[in-house]
Amino acid sequence: METIDKIKQQLADNPIIIYMKGSPKLPSCGFSAQASQALIACGEPFAFVDILQNPDIRAELPAYANWPTFPQLWVEGELIGGCDIMLEMFQRGELQPLIKETAAKYKKDDGAE
């Protein structure tokens, strides 16, 4: 599978996904740590791809996204931004509803809130 196809598949399969260095539990850089902490604080499950374990994605995603740095947060196949944008949105109270509403749309059990 081509790397771009793999990226498109990951974006299609995961409504909330962060491309980062390391994992949310063991981030490998400060920016990834801050970004994943902001996402964790939103209280919804999300997918992640460790770009250090996936050098092909690390090489191809910046061109595909037209965004040169990591981490990268994608919601419903759309690039939201990197660490600075995520933290700014979180502090403004914009990230939490975006993540919650997206997660609610894709919950398997449509239970009442």
Side-chain angles (χ1 to χ4, degrees):
M1 185 184 255
E2 292 288 318
T3 301
I4 294 297
D5 293 330
K6 190 166 31 169
I7 292 167
K8 286 179 180 173
Q9 188 66 52
Q10 289 169 341
L11 295 175
D13 291 346
N14 300 288
I16 304 166
I17 185 167
I18 185 169
Y19 290 88
M20 61 183 289
K21 293 177 180 173
S23 70
K25 287 192 170 80
L26 282 170
S28 298
C29 84
F31 296 115
S32 289
Q34 290 178 48
S36 60
Q37 282 305 310
L39 258 187
I40 290 166
C42 292
E44 297 294 342
F46 61 91
F48 75 92
V49 174
D50 179 356
I51 59 159
L52 300 177
Q53 302 292 323
N54 296 277
D56 55 333
I57 291 174
R58 184 179 188 177
E60 298 281 336
L61 187 59
Y64 176 76
N66 202 15
W67 191 266
T69 58
F70 292 98
Q72 289 185 13
L73 173 64
W74 292 73
V75 175
E76 294 190 285
E78 193 177 312
L79 176 64
I80 301 302
C83 181
D84 291 348
I85 290 171
M86 287 177 66
L87 293 180
E88 210 172 279
M89 287 177 71
F90 186 81
Q91 287 160 354
R92 282 198 203 136
E94 296 168 356
L95 187 63
Q96 300 88 326
L98 173 69
I99 298 301
K100 287 202 180 308
E101 288 163 20
T102 303
K105 265 194 236 177
Y106 292 88
K107 278 215 165 80
K108 300 288 184 248
D109 60 339
D110 292 322
E113 291 186 31

